[in-house]
Amino acid sequence: MSTILLAGGAGYIGSHTAVELLNAGYDVIVVDNYANSCPESIKRVESITGKSVKLYEADVSDNAAMEKIFAENKIDAVIHFAGLKAVGESVAMPVAYYRNNIDTTLTLLETMSKFDVKNIIFSSSATVYGEANKVPYLETMPRGACTNPYGWTKSMMEQIFEDAAKADEKLSVVLLRYFNPIGAHESGRIGEDPSGIPNNLMPYVTQTAVGKRECLTIFGNDYPTKDGTCTRDYIHVVDLAKGHVKAIDYILANDKVCEIFNLGTGTPYSVTEIVETFERVNNIKVNHIYGARRPGDLAECYANADKALKVLGWKTEKTLEDMCRDSWNWQKNNPEGYGKK
Ligand code: NAD
Ligand code: UFG
């Protein structure tokens, strides 16, 4: 069976993808510097699947460390999750974001070229559509102007991958544009474990429900949407992880590809709908107030997910209720996440 290297694989999406790849019969190697994670997530991946993961602690932008990993293993494909992802922090520390996100990408491409590894899947984001494109977003739309440095790193990395694929007749690239991943593995053993005050909606909701935060502020209720709050395409992280397995099957089955896929459900839900559904399915109150808009937020963001269905044979299976139930199951079983990072 093929061996897949997950760069940044100890994180939220990487750990869930490791479970689905192992369940599908792939061998998994993880490299992570634990900038935003810890090795405990991978121990739990092993206990969920009953299979072992080869784990390296290293910085993915470190050429010597990466060459050692590629020399020690026969790698068939790489999935590049390693990156910094906090939008607000990227505004305050743009150089650190450009350095980390772009360096990891360049080092991976250089090492792959040296060791003749020809398949890479990249964690991109719906943020690359920018403000000018109209929802639902289609892969054929041009990348737009991003509203923050994090988004620009994704846009630039997509360009780097496309240029590299153009220049190398054997290099295959799949760019996956994620929408809003939430939820957790149904075991409640792995999930999202943000450091400090969460930036994203669902961890803020779960931490408010568990009593770690006093009150959720819903950012704006005067948007031109169904109830005035922003809408997003929330996707269960296990569905997202399964999308990676389909993308790996696809990239390994084809000689040469360079393709973009949206990974979303195609259905937008508002912030108020998220809070109300969470309260209903979990039978728990989430203290919340309506506050000012958050700078940089778009009113609406959702995918046209037809291409992933047509080409990869992938579509989401989980409901919003599943997402809310599994997010809470993870939080209540692990009120401190994985513990100390
Ligand atoms: P995460 O922070 O949980 O995972 C990223 C992992 O990369 C972490 O384990 C971190 O320690 C590691 N990492 C960062 N820099 C590294 C480096 N230089 N060397 C080695 N490891 C490094 O985030 P996630 O939510 O799992 O996201 C995974 C990828 O998906 C990221 O690239 C992110 O930008 C992208 N993405 C995430 C979302 C989202 O909402 N979660 C949306 C769109 C795209
Ligand atoms: N929100 C609140 N209160 C909060 C947190 C969020 O009302 O405390 C709202 C936001 O205003 C937004 C929605 O919840 O309307 C979702 O916000 P998130 O921060 O969870 O997600 P975003 O859609 O802003 O951002 C996500 C990823 C980014 C990515 C972007 C576009 O976190 O990495 O999608 O793909 F760039």
Side-chain angles (χ1 to χ4, degrees):
M1 194 31 116
S2 304
T3 299
I4 316 300
L5 174 68
L6 307 188
Y12 173 47
I13 302 169
S15 56
H16 287 82
T17 301
V19 168
E20 298 308 323
L21 285 169
L22 290 164
N23 285 343
Y26 288 103
D27 289 329
V28 170
I29 302 171
V30 166
V31 52
D32 205 299
N33 66 354
Y34 309 125
N36 193 37
S37 58
C38 58
E40 175 64 17
S41 63
I42 297 301
K43 282 198 195 124
R44 296 194 187 184
V45 166
E46 293 183 319
S47 85
I48 290 168
T49 58
K51 296 187 177 167
S52 63
V53 172
K54 199 162 178 186
L55 183 57
Y56 289 90
E57 179 174 358
D59 190 318
V60 173
S61 58
D62 177 341
N63 282 78
M66 295 308 291
E67 284 182 17
K68 184 169 179 286
I69 295 170
F70 278 71
E72 285 177 9
N73 301 281
K74 194 200 153 293
I75 294 164
D76 296 288
V78 176
I79 309 183
H80 181 19
F81 299 102
L84 301 175
K85 62 161 186 178
V87 171
E89 190 180 64
S90 80
V91 176
M93 304 164 55
V95 177
Y97 269 66
Y98 286 113
R99 168 65 77 191
N100 189 71
N101 291 3
I102 290 172
D103 253 11
T104 50
T105 298
L106 295 176
T107 298
L108 275 175
L109 283 169
E110 284 166 356
T111 317
M112 287 172 61
S113 166
K114 203 161 178 178
F115 287 83
D116 210 29
V117 175
K118 292 299 178 194
N119 301 299
I120 185 156
I121 292 173
F122 173 58
S123 300
S124 191
S125 165
T127 197
V128 302
Y129 287 107
E131 287 179 293
N133 286 305
K134 297 261 174 298
V135 286
Y137 296 133
L138 257 179
E139 293 88 345
T140 47
M141 290 173 173
R143 283 189 286 271
C146 297
T147 53
N148 58 75
Y150 164 76
W152 279 118
T153 69
K154 291 292 176 196
S155 186
M156 289 175 188
M157 290 185 284
E158 284 200 358
Q159 187 68 49
I160 291 169
F161 278 115
E162 287 178 346
D163 290 343
K166 251 183 231 153
D168 180 339
E169 60 181 22
K170 291 207 193 117
L171 180 67
S172 281
V173 167
V174 167
L175 307 175
L176 298 179
R177 292 180 178 163
Y178 309 156
F179 283 70
N180 286 58
I182 59 172
H185 190 262
E186 64 181 8
S187 64
R189 305 262 301 132
I190 55 172
E192 186 169 13
D193 183 18
S195 312
I197 301 170
N199 299 296
N200 295 113
L201 177 64
M202 187 52 90
Y204 211 106
V205 166
T206 60
Q207 291 194 9
T208 306
V210 87
K212 277 181 84 174
R213 311 273 156 215
E214 268 190 12
C215 185
L216 167 77
T217 301
I218 295 180
F219 298 137
N221 59 351
D222 57 351
Y223 285 98
T225 58
K226 46 189 159 185
D227 59 21
T229 63
C230 294
T231 64
R232 294 287 181 273
D233 187 334
Y234 296 95
I235 171 171
H236 196 295
V237 67
V238 171
D239 277 333
L240 185 67
K242 289 179 176 167
H244 291 73
V245 178
K246 292 285 190 185
I248 284 287
D249 294 344
Y250 169 77
I251 207 168
L252 293 178
N254 287 281
D255 274 350
K256 163 79 186 179
V257 292
C258 183
E259 293 290 341
I260 302 172
F261 296 99
N262 287 338
L263 295 185
T265 65
T267 306
Y269 289 105
S270 74
V271 181
T272 298
E273 284 175 314
I274 294 287
V275 173
E276 286 176 359
T277 308
F278 186 92
E279 293 185 322
R280 177 170 52 78
V281 303
N282 297 313
N283 195 23
I284 190 163
K285 280 277 152 225
V286 178
N287 286 334
H288 61 276
I289 53 166
Y290 290 93
R293 290 182 178 196
R294 182 171 68 176
D297 274 346
L298 301 178
E300 299 176 287
C301 175
Y302 60 97
N304 175 315
D306 293 350
K307 184 178 172 190
L309 176 59
K310 199 167 153 224
V311 180
L312 302 179
W314 171 88
K315 67 176 172 40
T316 58
E317 287 164 359
K318 306 253 185 197
T319 63
L320 183 61
E321 283 75 10
D322 297 329
M323 300 183 215
C324 291
R325 195 180 304 110
D326 291 340
S327 293
W328 179 232
N329 189 36
W330 154 252
Q331 177 75 69
K332 73 170 192 275
N333 287 324
N334 306 270
E336 301 304 324
Y338 292 113
K340 263 206 157 60
K341 280 192 188 166

